[in-house]
Amino acid sequence: MPYMTASQKMQYLRLERAIDSAQSDLKSGQYLANSKPSNLNPEQDVQPLIERGKLLIESAQLQIKNSQQGLVELLQIVQQQQSHQVAVDLKRFDYDLESANYDDAITVLCKRLLNTCWELGYETLFFDGVFIQDSESTQRSSPELHNNTYDQLIKIDGTAFSVTIPVDFQLKPDTTGSTSSIFEYENAPIFKDDKKALLVIEMIQPAGSSSGLLSLRAIDLGTQQIVAHHLIKIKDSAEKLGLESENLVDRTPDQLKLRDEANALETLSNLGDLYIFKVSSEFENTIVNELLIHTLLKEKTLKITDSDFILRAYGAALTTPESWQGHSNAQLTINADSSINHYKLVALADNSDRVLPCGTLQLTNSNAPETVTDTAEASEETAKN
């Protein structure tokens, strides 16, 4: 029934009623066909009743046959619709990532990011720099890249005056990330009553790659949740970052396939605010994480925090960074599968030993598929080390 259209449901109910009515007529016909003279009227001519009963039986049987045939034909059509819908549902997380040169992408994505934040009612958007994340660490970009990006944001912001720079923005030294107030900055009183988000602009660069990912996100400062997420593949990222080498090739995946045949992610999303997730993996480079987060937020499946980035970018200010918890109470973990470029996705609630399988991931590179193997092998080797 869930896969039927409104008219198909009406047709189904009409056929059911027709079968019920015909079965009732069949019983009546059988009763009449078995008529015999009563003891009170032994001379009664019951032959007309018997003939009437036979005709009613014949008519009822024909009606049942025709209605059942119509029902079978309808259900066969609906079964095809169901198979098609199931196939569509299985592929709903798949996507091919857009790609562009950095200068073309940054303007478009900054505009998308600010528009999303404004639609969500954020009044103050903090910009604290551009970050570069590679297989070793997360660092701030060059002043030139920082200033150019800030100029783009201010130009798009216009008279909204929502984009601003927090002065001396850092984590409170004693915070574990589990409360709604984890940052401190000098101009905090000015924005005390505003709805605030942190704009995260991060270049993710695989080792030895000419390309990378540009991730633009907005993090709610109270919940640490990612409220806006835009991702694009940058074809000239190595050049933009000043990484000069003759051996650079395109090592950045741009196609993702996620298969969750048990529909575990949908089940988790139906739990509402019960679980807030962080995404983690056994790899140093966060490309796999970003690609997964992109599709989950695109499909509005789960609530996801960006506490991993907060710790990477601002954790140096913490007195005990090993005590960092973040604002999540569950995690999605990406583990390497037996095949190269294939990964297993599992969910685990904090303080629980139960692991929920959530499907498999497959990453490919549409431009240079032969180089993705090298990336996966390098990632797996890094994880082992």
Side-chain angles (χ1 to χ4, degrees):
M1 293 292 282
Y3 296 95
M4 291 183 181
T5 64
S7 61
Q8 286 173 336
K9 289 178 181 179
M10 292 177 63
Q11 183 183 357
Y12 178 83
L13 294 174
R14 283 198 300 268
L15 289 169
E16 272 198 329
R17 286 195 295 267
I19 292 173
D20 290 342
S21 176
Q23 287 175 338
S24 177
D25 289 345
L26 180 62
K27 290 181 180 179
S28 298
Q30 290 170 340
Y31 177 79
L32 292 175
N34 293 325
S35 296
K36 295 179 180 180
S38 67
N39 293 332
L40 296 177
N41 188 8
E43 302 299 326
Q44 179 186 9
D45 183 8
V46 296
Q47 192 60 35
L49 295 176
I50 293 174
E51 293 300 324
R52 181 183 168 191
K54 289 180 179 179
L55 290 174
L56 193 57
I57 289 172
E58 184 178 350
S59 174
Q61 287 176 335
L62 181 61
Q63 179 63 41
I64 290 172
K65 180 181 178 180
N66 290 338
S67 297
Q68 287 179 335
Q69 184 176 348
L71 197 61
V72 168
E73 291 172 354
L74 172 63
L75 292 177
Q76 286 175 335
I77 292 173
V78 175
Q79 188 176 46
Q80 292 175 353
Q81 293 172 185
Q82 178 184 6
S83 298
H84 174 72
Q85 187 59 49
V86 168
V88 170
D89 289 344
L90 276 177
K91 296 181 179 180
R92 73 187 179 105
F93 292 109
D94 297 359
Y95 66 87
D96 292 351
L97 199 62
E98 292 181 73
S99 63
N101 291 329
Y102 181 86
D103 291 337
D104 296 329
I106 191 66
T107 302
V108 174
L109 263 66
C110 281
K111 186 177 294 185
R112 290 182 190 173
L113 182 66
L114 294 190
N115 283 334
T116 304
C117 291
W118 293 333
E119 289 171 3
L120 294 172
Y122 285 93
E123 302 159 288
T124 296
L125 304 174
F126 287 142
F127 173 71
D128 191 43
V130 178
F131 293 85
I132 312 299
Q133 204 268 318
D134 56 27
S135 58
E136 297 180 356
S137 63
T138 300
Q139 306 170 8
R140 291 183 180 271
S141 72
S142 65
E144 180 184 3
L145 200 58
H146 173 283
N147 294 337
N148 289 342
T149 304
Y150 180 66
D151 290 342
Q152 289 283 358
L153 289 170
I154 292 299
K155 183 178 179 180
I156 298 166
D157 194 32
T159 57
F161 301 113
S162 60
V163 177
T164 189
I165 295 178
V167 179
D168 196 19
F169 190 73
Q170 60 182 345
L171 286 172
K172 296 177 179 177
D174 59 347
T175 186
T176 62
S178 57
T179 64
S180 60
S181 178
I182 63 173
F183 285 102
E184 57 184 11
Y185 43 102
E186 290 183 13
N187 50 346
I190 302 174
F191 312 105
K192 179 181 178 182
D193 299 322
D194 289 358
K195 185 176 182 181
K196 299 177 287 292
L198 174 64
L199 301 181
V200 176
I201 300 177
E202 185 175 26
M203 291 280 289
I204 304 170
Q205 188 68 24
S209 179
S210 60
S211 61
L213 292 183
L214 175 61
S215 174
L216 278 74
R217 316 189 286 280
I219 306 174
D220 184 285
L221 279 189
T223 66
Q224 300 169 34
Q225 288 182 34
I226 303 173
V227 295
H229 189 276
H230 302 286
L231 191 68
I232 194 168
K233 180 176 178 176
I234 301 300
K235 296 183 287 187
D236 63 342
S237 62
E239 179 183 345
K240 200 68 183 177
L241 296 176
L243 304 175
E244 298 179 1
S245 173
E246 296 180 356
N247 300 321
L248 295 180
V249 293
D250 183 358
R251 296 182 181 274
T252 305
D254 53 16
Q255 296 176 325
L256 178 142
K257 292 182 180 179
L258 170 56
R259 293 292 178 267
D260 178 20
E261 297 183 6
N263 219 20
L265 293 172
E266 186 67 26
T267 300
L268 291 174
S269 69
N270 290 335
L271 298 177
D273 295 333
L274 182 60
Y275 291 112
I276 309 297
F277 290 89
K278 66 178 179 181
V279 174
S280 62
S281 68
E282 56 188 319
F283 313 115
E284 293 296 329
N285 195 296
T286 62
I287 277 187
V288 184
N289 301 32
E290 281 298 310
L291 291 169
L292 174 64
I293 290 172
H294 181 64
T295 194
L296 293 178
L297 293 179
K298 182 167 61 74
E299 292 295 328
K300 298 181 173 60
T301 307
L302 301 171
K303 295 183 181 299
I304 300 175
T305 70
D306 212 355
S307 57
D308 169 65
F309 167 78
I310 293 174
L311 180 60
R312 285 191 286 112
Y314 297 98
L318 296 174
T319 304
T320 54
E322 65 276 7
S323 301
W324 177 260
Q325 299 172 10
H327 209 56
S328 61
N329 59 0
Q331 65 180 358
L332 288 170
T333 302
I334 306 168
N335 300 315
D337 203 347
S338 55
S339 301
I340 293 174
N341 277 333
H342 287 71
Y343 308 90
K344 292 181 180 179
L345 180 64
V346 298
L348 178 68
D350 292 354
N351 303 316
S352 172
D353 295 329
R354 184 188 176 192
V355 176
L356 177 66
C358 293
T360 58
L361 288 170
Q362 180 183 357
L363 304 182
T364 55
N365 185 326
S366 60
N367 295 322
E370 71 277 3
T371 64
V372 181
T373 298
D374 300 336
T375 303
E377 289 175 342
S379 298
E380 291 175 6
E381 189 63 29
T382 300
K384 291 176 183 177
N385 293 338

